[in-house]
Amino acid sequence: MEEVVERVSARVPDWQTVSGVKKRTSKAAAIHEIVHADEARRITPDKELNRVLGGGIVPGSLVLIGGEPGIGKSTLMLQLALNMPDTRTLYISGEESEQQLKMRAERLSQASKADCFILTETATQHIFKQINTVAPHLVIIDSIQTLHSAHIDAAPGSVSQVRECTAELLQFAKETAIPVFIVGHITKDGAIAGPKVLEHMVDTVLQFEGDRHHAYRILRAVKNRFGAATELGIYEMQGSGLREVSNPSEILLSQREGNMSGIAIAVLLEGMRPMLIEVQALVGNSAYGTPQRSSNGFDTKRMNMLLAVLEKRFGFRLSAQDVFLNIAGGLRVEDPAIDLAVIIAIISSQQDIPVSATIAFAGEVGLSGEIRAVNRIEQRIAEAEKLGFETIYISKYNTKGLDSSKYQISIRAVAKVEEVFQAVFG
Ligand code: TYD
Ligand code: MG
C-alpha cells in the first residue's frame, strides 16, 4: 500500500525562516526545574472538551480529532476557535471557502471574536508562513487529508503525504509549544489508512462519533498522553452548533408511550460518568429463510453471543427469529454492563411481556448465563436512584462491601440470568 516517494529537499522547518514564532531551544534541564504541564494548560470554554483532554489543552500538544464525514468535527473545531478566551486562534481549512466558514461562524452565533483568524490553504509551506505572520496561540487544521507538503511528491490524502504533513506539524508544535488540533476523516469501516497511521505520532487521539441521523455525539479519548484514555464528552448537535450535555441521562428521556414490551434500561458508565440508556429489542418470526440480525449502537457479534446463550442455556428458540436491537439516542455503547438489559429487552419482546419502567439493570452476562460484576457499582446505583428508579438488578458478585442501607432504591443481587427472568417476567 505504501507508495515509494523521494524526498524533494531536506526538511528545514518552514517556521524557522520567519521570526514571528518563537522557537524553543533544546537543552537538558534539572527535573525539579521543569514546570508541570498542568499549570500551563489552556482551559477551553467547552467543559466536555476539557474533560476529554484531561483538563484543558497542553502546550505543544498535537491532538487528532477523527470521525466520519458529517459528524461535526468542523463544527466542534470552529466553535473552539471562536470561543477560546484571550487566545489568538488560527483555523485553517482546506475544505471550505472563507465565505462558507463565515456563514458557519454566524450560524454558531458567537459574538464575533477579533482574534480568531481563518485561512483557506492546503500547502504546509504557506501555512507555516501565515502562522508566522499571525502568531496564534492555537492552530487548527481541517483536515489533514487536504494538506500537502512540497517536501514530498505524493498526492494529498495519500499515506505518505498525510504522514509528512503531520510530522511537520508535530515538529512545529513541539518546538514552539503551540498546540495544534488536526481533523482527520475516518470512513465507516475505519479501514482507510489516513488517520489510523497517525495515531502513534500524535499525543492525543479523540474520536467523534454518533449516528448522523441522531442529535447526540460522543467525543471519546482513544489515546491521551496527558490524561485518561477512558474519558468522553457528550454533545447534542443543534441548529446553532454543538451543545454540551452535562447530564448524560437526559438521553434516556425517550418517547415512550405506556408500557411496551422489548424495552429495558441499562445503567452504564461512559468514561467516568454514569448514564442510563434505553435498550430496545424487536424479536419476530422471520418472514424469509434466514433470520435477520441487526443492531444499532451495540456490537453485533456480542449480540449473537448473547442470543446463543439464551438459546443454549435457557431454551429460548431464537435461531429462527429476526432480532433487531437498538440503543436509544444513536449512541454506540462499549460498557459490558449493558448485557443484562440487552437480554431482558430481547426476552421481553419475544415473550411480549413489558418490563416495568421503574427497573434498571447493570450486569455483564457470561457464556454460561452467569451475571458478572461490573466496575464502580455504587456510582451506577446512585445514578439510578437519582433518576427515580425503584429497583436495580446487579450481580451478586458486586455486593461485597456494598452497603445497601445507604440507598432508597431496592437492590436485587442476582447470580444467574434465570433468577432475573423469574423476578421480572414471573
Ligand atoms: P460538520 O462539522 O461539517 O461535520 P464534519 O466536519 O465532521 O464533516 O457538520 C456536519 C453536520 O452538522 C451538517 O450536516 C450540518 C450539521 N450542523 C448542524 O446541525 N448545526 C450546526 O450549527 C452546524 C454548523 C452544522
Ligand atoms: Mg468538516
Side-chain angles (χ1 to χ4, degrees):
M1 270 283 300
E2 177 69 309
E3 62 267 59
V4 182
V5 283
E6 269 173 48
R7 199 148 273 246
V8 178
S9 63
R11 192 159 76 220
V12 178
D14 300 281
W15 62 91
Q16 289 187 3
T17 53
V18 194
S19 56
V21 174
K22 201 164 81 230
K23 184 177 174 291
R24 286 197 321 185
T25 50
S26 109
K27 64 173 201 268
I31 192 147
H32 69 270
E33 286 171 354
I34 297 172
V35 186
H36 199 287
D38 271 357
E39 292 160 30
R41 280 184 195 250
R42 275 180 193 273
I43 309 299
T44 80
D46 179 342
K47 291 197 188 66
E48 299 297 299
L49 184 62
N50 290 336
R51 182 202 311 281
V52 178
L53 290 172
I57 305 172
V58 174
S61 60
L62 186 62
V63 181
L64 172 68
I65 310 248
E68 289 168 28
I71 206 72
K73 302 179 294 299
S74 301
T75 308
L76 183 74
M77 286 296 100
L78 190 58
Q79 250 175 264
L80 177 68
L82 289 166
N83 285 336
M84 272 308 278
D86 308 319
T87 303
R88 198 173 318 122
T89 54
L90 178 58
Y91 178 95
I92 300 157
S93 178
E95 311 215 323
E96 283 156 300
S97 67
E98 280 174 9
Q99 297 305 315
Q100 280 172 305
L101 290 166
K102 174 78 181 169
M103 271 164 58
R104 192 192 285 252
E106 274 165 4
R107 183 168 175 190
L108 300 175
S109 67
Q110 313 300 337
S112 117
K113 173 175 149 91
D115 52 359
C116 172
F117 290 79
I118 300 287
L119 170 66
T120 52
E121 177 58 70
T122 55
T124 57
Q125 281 68 29
H126 292 147
I127 287 174
F128 287 126
K129 268 194 199 114
Q130 282 298 307
I131 288 176
N132 278 302
T133 314
V134 175
H137 306 118
L138 172 68
V139 174
I140 295 165
I141 305 282
D142 188 1
S143 66
I144 191 69
Q145 275 101 345
T146 59
L147 291 201
H148 63 92
S149 166
H151 294 306
I152 228 169
D153 187 16
S158 63
V159 175
S160 42
Q161 207 38 287
V162 162
R163 195 181 275 154
E164 166 66 22
C165 295
T166 306
E168 290 177 17
L169 290 164
L170 177 68
Q171 202 185 346
F172 165 77
K174 296 304 162 201
E175 293 190 1
T176 60
I178 297 170
V180 178
F181 281 70
I182 53 184
V183 168
H185 296 295
I186 300 174
T187 55
K188 200 150 205 120
D189 50 7
I192 193 126
K196 276 280 171 209
V197 303
L198 306 181
E199 290 190 1
H200 71 278
M201 297 174 72
V202 303
D203 297 307
T204 303
V205 180
L206 306 181
Q207 200 161 298
F208 208 28
E209 51 186 53
D211 182 342
R212 244 194 305 164
H213 306 293
H214 285 83
Y216 290 105
R217 302 279 181 273
I218 283 188
L219 186 64
R220 213 184 274 275
V222 186
K223 161 185 173 175
N224 194 356
R225 285 194 185 133
F226 311 115
T230 48
E231 268 311 344
L232 54 78
I234 304 175
Y235 297 89
E236 186 188 6
M237 181 63 94
Q238 297 186 324
S240 57
L242 290 156
R243 178 183 70 88
E244 300 161 37
V245 174
S246 47
N247 170 23
S249 289
E250 71 165 61
I251 301 171
L252 174 71
L253 305 174
S254 75
Q255 301 87 26
R256 169 141 55 153
E257 282 286 329
N259 238 0
M260 291 193 310
S261 64
I263 292 178
I265 307 296
V267 192
L268 303 179
L269 268 182
E270 285 292 356
M272 307 302 259
R273 284 184 297 176
M275 62 192 281
L276 281 95
I277 275 285
E278 183 178 294
V279 180
Q280 307 163 340
L282 185 64
V283 180
N285 289 330
S286 183
Y288 309 99
T290 353
Q292 296 187 63
R293 296 286 154 86
S294 109
S295 81
N296 259 326
F298 185 70
D299 183 34
T300 312
K301 278 200 206 111
R302 182 122 194 118
M303 176 178 81
N304 285 330
M305 186 240 53
L306 293 174
L307 290 173
V309 169
L310 289 172
E311 177 110 26
K312 272 265 181 210
R313 305 277 174 200
F314 306 106
F316 290 103
R317 319 207 55 193
L318 291 152
S319 56
Q321 294 187 296
D322 290 338
V323 179
F324 303 100
L325 196 70
N326 185 39
I327 308 300
L331 299 186
R332 188 168 62 79
V333 173
E334 285 173 354
D335 183 354
I338 196 174
D339 287 357
L340 192 52
V342 168
I343 61 166
I344 293 291
I346 290 171
I347 297 308
S348 163
S349 175
Q350 199 221 20
Q351 303 288 312
D352 199 20
I353 307 173
V355 180
S356 161
T358 62
I359 306 178
F361 301 89
E364 183 179 346
V365 175
L367 283 179
S368 60
E370 80 276 19
I371 297 169
R372 310 178 68 98
V374 294
N375 62 352
R376 310 214 277 141
I377 196 70
E378 274 120 346
Q379 226 184 323
R380 298 178 196 256
I381 295 170
E383 181 74 4
E385 177 173 297
K386 194 175 95 193
L387 290 168
F389 284 82
E390 291 166 14
T391 308
I392 181 169
Y393 283 87
I394 65 168
S395 165
K396 199 182 92 184
Y397 305 102
N398 260 141
T399 53
K400 255 184 244 135
L402 182 73
D403 178 12
S404 54
S405 66
K406 274 199 313 203
Y407 305 97
Q408 300 285 307
I409 189 172
S410 149
I411 300 169
R412 305 275 174 85
V414 282
K416 283 280 192 185
V417 163
E418 51 260 56
E419 293 168 42
V420 193
F421 286 161
Q422 263 185 1
V424 174
F425 301 120

